[in-house]
Amino acid sequence: MSGITTVDKDIDLQELAAFVWREADILDRCDYDAWLALWTEDGHYIVPIGKGENYEDQVNVCYDDAKMRRMRVERFQQGFSISSAPPADTVRTVSRFVLQGATGDEIVLGCAEHVVENKFGRQRIYAANLTYTLVRTDDGLRIRNKVARLLNSDGELTAFSYLF
Amino acid sequence: MSLDHSPVHPGPAHHTPARPEDLVEHDRVQTPLYEDAALFEQEMEKIFAHTWVFVAHGSEVPEKGSFVLSWVGQQPVIVVRDRKGDINVLVNRCRHRAATVCEVKKGKTSSFQCPYHGWGYGLDGSLRGVPYPEQYGKDFDKSTLGMKALRVDSYQNMIFATLDDGIEPLAEFLGPAKKWIDLFMKQGGGYPVKVLGEHQFTVPMNWKIQLENTTDAYHFPVVHKSFIQSLDKEAEATFNFFDKAGFVEDLGNGHSVAVMIPELVDLDENLDDPIPERFEELAQALRDEGFDEPRVRKIVRATGGAGFNLNLFPNVSLSLAFFRVLRPVGVKETAIRHVCLGMDGGPAAANRMRIRLQEHFQGPMGFGTPDDAEVWERVQRGTLGGKELPILVNRGLVDEVPGVDGPRGHLSAETGMRASYQMWKRMMAQ
Ligand code: FES
Ligand SMILES: [Fe+2]
């Protein structure tokens, strides 16, 4: 095998991974304006609860369209939210990329994420399965949908001051 | 779940156990209330084992055989509807060797079978059969070895259980809180109220820090500034409580109510008021579905939830469009459920909007909950310093007046906390 895994003649897993890693870096740096720029206007950022997939009609940890994403970022940035000023520090790794499908301009990519957060001198670790729906645009790859399914999503979590 | 490395520094041991009667005065309480492990053990025994504890809403166990796991204080229980339609609350512990009988959070079953040696129990907890019973001999009396069943009662489909067969009926315990529960349930908009889902999280704090919070409107404009700023101007005005005729009132038995949005106390009234802009899209969707204008207005008005917070001692409060249920896990650990309520059989568009409103404020990534969790944790951390300093609950004493059912204070008064702590003191003295 060569260093680069080619899944499809048009889809380069290394390119997708590099995109997701760049997003991970952006999130760890809390560079939320850069994060918003990674998105297409349609689509949702979703952290679901349990195994259900009818996100619109179920209670999720979050279910953000473009407007809610912008409001969330504003909340993080404006400094009025005591839980995110300052936020927890995070270091995340993203791995185990699997191409789940590609139709038209859409690519569905699955991967695993580990986030370690530090706040009040206390460290916590979270794991999530991420599913991206990515689209190729003139400006490069963009996120249409992102579903972050936390382990124990239907159990007791703690308050988060960052994104998965 | 999280792996916690570290932390919360253990407080110094209390050499002489704190005496409950010394810890609560009318206008102040003492620091050990939040951090004395021995006191916590007493609370579990004297309060949680001798009062009505909210365990579930009836809609979570809709059919015969439906069950959901819950807690009474620190005891795990199964809330289950049996073949007769009655609700049973069973301690989730096999009578043989104590294994939990059920670890599925909710579902439907015809019986419970212990996974260890196979003892089988009916939906009412009765022991139905044991494998190879011969070794127990002739005198083995299955009728005495059912799962432990708690006393159960309900009001407005809210199910409560108690370990104490001697306490007053639930209706008597709730007293004046009942009429507020009735008002709260009007948010069904003509449909029964139904659980749509829930957010769950834990906070490293004593349970009473949460108990104090739901009728503490004083914190709202400060802690929830970022939530308020995320709303449109009209909604912002709705959440601007202190300009209105709100109040907080002691309802007896530790219960209290905080009326924050007086115009939304009775959701059947003022149906001709203009529809707020953020509900206009929903109103149109309902009209398009064929609802006539009076129905549209009733449903839309109900969708945002009630305009008051009701705190029921010791573990559940009713707020906007959700229940907040607390569970004491340890002296410095509390689990919270924010249970999202909707309209059973009601229009999907209205329930969807309620879910989105719940996600906006509630839960680990809501615009409100993380900020509440942060300040609650800070209270717990702050109590490590200056232990001799009292915790003040005197706000609003200056102009408190007799209300309909008890002392009534300014909306930002600490009347609700005083109500809780007087009940706490009464129960701890037993
Ligand atoms: S522990 Fe339940 S059957 Fe033995
Ligand atoms: Fe709050």
Side-chain angles (χ1 to χ4, degrees):
Chain A
M1 291 279 286
S2 71
I4 295 173
T5 312
T6 303
V7 181
D8 180 281
K9 70 179 188 322
D10 297 325
I11 299 172
D12 174 358
L13 199 52
Q14 182 73 27
E15 182 203 2
L16 303 181
F19 177 83
V20 170
W21 285 327
R22 186 157 68 85
E23 186 211 10
D25 178 54
I26 285 170
L27 288 176
D28 279 340
R29 286 188 289 104
C30 301
D31 185 1
Y32 291 114
D33 290 324
W35 186 71
L36 286 178
L38 297 179
W39 286 78
T40 64
E41 186 66 11
D42 55 353
H44 289 84
Y45 169 69
I46 306 169
V47 182
I49 293 175
K51 299 214 187 314
E53 292 183 358
N54 180 8
Y55 308 121
E56 194 184 5
D57 290 310
Q58 73 188 30
V59 176
N60 307 283
V61 174
C62 87
Y63 179 84
D64 289 358
D65 58 11
K67 186 175 166 224
M68 276 296 282
R69 284 196 297 276
R70 279 194 297 272
M71 275 164 46
R72 189 176 292 283
V73 162
E74 248 171 66
R75 177 172 168 273
F76 283 156
Q77 290 174 335
Q78 69 194 356
F80 292 136
S81 158
I82 188 167
S83 62
S84 42
D89 287 325
T90 60
V91 172
R92 71 194 68 210
T93 48
V94 191
S95 186
R96 198 251 271 135
F97 296 92
V98 177
L99 184 68
Q100 294 180 345
T103 42
D105 66 342
E106 281 194 352
I107 302 161
V108 180
L109 177 74
C111 54
E113 180 182 46
H114 292 164
V115 183
V116 181
E117 63 150 79
N118 183 67
K119 185 158 198 182
F120 292 136
R122 166 193 62 211
Q123 296 199 347
R124 291 169 167 152
I125 182 165
Y126 287 91
N129 279 302
L130 305 182
T131 306
Y132 288 87
T133 303
L134 302 172
V135 283
R136 211 176 275 290
T137 73
D138 293 343
D139 301 322
L141 287 169
R142 287 290 177 270
I143 305 167
R144 175 165 288 155
N145 288 312
K146 178 179 175 183
V147 178
R149 209 178 281 277
L150 291 163
L151 282 186
N152 197 37
S153 69
D154 65 346
E156 285 151 7
L157 303 168
T158 51
F160 302 120
S161 61
Y162 49 87
L163 303 175
F164 291 96
Chain B
M1 196 49 208
S2 65
L3 298 178
D4 278 1
H5 302 277
S6 96
V8 184
H9 317 272
H14 289 274
H15 297 296
T16 41
R19 298 190 317 160
E21 58 271 33
D22 297 338
L23 298 176
V24 173
E25 287 171 70
H26 189 50
D27 65 344
R28 67 192 58 201
V29 301
Q30 300 300 326
T31 308
L33 278 179
Y34 294 154
E35 49 178 25
D36 184 330
L39 203 60
F40 179 81
E41 293 306 320
Q42 284 186 49
E43 290 173 338
M44 294 307 105
E45 178 50 38
K46 292 187 172 177
I47 296 175
F48 280 86
H50 293 283
T51 190
W52 288 105
V53 175
F54 174 81
V55 289
H57 185 258
S59 65
E60 294 177 273
V61 284
E63 292 160 28
K64 294 173 183 179
S66 300
F67 68 88
V68 63
L69 299 187
S70 186
W71 303 83
V72 172
Q74 294 186 300
Q75 298 203 33
V77 298
I78 307 171
V79 181
V80 53
R81 195 180 290 272
D82 64 26
R83 284 178 215 286
K84 290 179 297 197
D86 295 336
I87 302 286
N88 303 294
V89 177
L90 310 171
V91 176
N92 191 2
R93 171 189 167 129
C94 180
R95 288 297 301 279
H96 178 220
R97 304 291 297 281
T100 54
V101 170
C102 179
E103 290 287 355
V104 178
K105 286 173 184 166
K106 67 184 303 175
K108 217 177 147 181
T109 187
S110 54
S111 63
F112 295 104
Q113 188 171 37
C114 179
Y116 199 175
H117 310 91
W119 285 28
Y121 300 92
L123 298 176
D124 57 359
S126 59
L127 179 59
R128 288 291 163 77
V130 305
Y132 311 107
E134 306 78 31
Q135 299 307 311
Y136 285 113
K138 285 199 305 297
D139 297 336
F140 185 62
D141 184 3
K142 286 208 298 262
S143 72
T144 63
L145 290 169
M147 291 168 74
K148 180 171 175 172
L150 274 62
R151 191 174 153 207
V152 182
D153 206 346
S154 69
Y155 187 75
Q156 285 273 25
N157 219 11
M158 294 179 73
I159 304 166
F160 294 77
T162 181
L163 289 148
D164 187 340
D165 289 333
I167 60 171
E168 75 270 43
L170 176 67
E172 213 172 288
F173 171 67
L174 294 174
K178 289 205 306 277
K179 61 175 177 284
W180 291 100
I181 300 176
D182 296 347
L183 285 168
F184 186 80
M185 296 304 171
K186 288 190 179 188
Q187 64 185 285
Y191 300 92
V193 166
K194 178 192 177 171
V195 170
L196 298 177
E198 65 181 326
H199 288 118
Q200 302 177 65
F201 56 102
T202 56
V203 186
M205 64 162 171
N206 185 272
W207 65 280
K208 296 187 293 304
I209 296 170
Q210 205 279 246
L211 178 73
E212 293 170 7
N213 177 262
T214 311
T215 52
D216 171 7
Y218 192 29
H219 84 281
F220 201 93
V222 184
V223 171
H224 301 306
K225 188 168 176 179
S226 87
F227 166 75
I228 294 166
Q229 294 213 332
S230 71
L231 303 172
D232 62 50
K233 284 281 162 284
E234 199 177 3
E236 206 179 316
T238 305
F239 283 92
N240 199 348
F241 306 146
F242 297 141
D243 297 347
K244 303 181 184 178
F247 61 86
V248 56
E249 187 170 307
D250 180 341
L251 301 175
N253 286 347
H255 315 314
S256 58
V257 66
V259 173
M260 297 169 304
I261 313 171
E263 64 272 24
L264 293 177
V265 162
D266 189 333
L267 295 170
D268 286 345
E269 286 177 359
N270 310 325
L271 288 171
D272 296 331
D273 284 359
I275 291 172
E277 197 185 315
R278 64 177 176 150
F279 291 105
E280 198 40 76
E281 201 178 319
L282 170 64
Q284 196 50 51
L286 295 174
R287 287 179 199 118
D288 294 346
E289 265 188 65
F291 288 96
D292 62 21
E293 197 58 23
R295 292 284 290 143
V296 168
R297 287 176 169 270
K298 189 176 166 95
I299 293 167
V300 165
R301 206 170 134 74
T303 298
F308 58 88
N309 284 358
L310 176 66
N311 194 30
L312 301 180
F313 188 91
N315 80 320
V316 62
S317 40
L318 292 68
S319 174
L320 284 173
F322 65 96
F323 296 142
R324 179 188 270 171
V325 189
L326 73 83
R327 173 166 69 88
V329 177
V331 63
K332 295 180 184 178
E333 188 75 19
T334 304
I336 311 282
R337 300 169 60 199
H338 282 165
V339 180
C340 177
L341 302 172
M343 304 171 193
D344 195 358
N351 282 335
R352 230 172 254 153
M353 178 140 191
R354 287 178 76 106
I355 291 171
R356 297 291 91 80
L357 293 173
Q358 161 102 3
E359 289 162 349
H360 188 162
F361 192 91
Q362 252 63 247
M365 291 176 81
F367 285 33
T369 293
D371 297 325
D372 278 324
E374 171 96 8
V375 292
W376 296 341
E377 179 169 0
R378 287 191 186 205
V379 171
Q380 189 72 51
R381 295 169 70 82
T383 51
L384 290 171
K387 289 175 176 304
E388 74 289 0
L389 302 175
I391 292 150
L392 302 179
V393 292
N394 59 341
R395 191 178 160 79
L397 273 172
V398 62
D399 56 1
E400 206 168 62
V401 296
V404 177
D405 297 303
R408 177 184 285 195
H410 182 263
L411 178 53
S412 72
E414 281 151 355
T415 307
M417 297 175 203
R418 291 192 284 276
S420 298
Y421 281 121
Q422 289 311 312
M423 182 64 169
W424 183 92
K425 191 175 181 177
R426 204 170 101 200
M427 295 200 78
M428 291 293 278
Q430 286 168 8

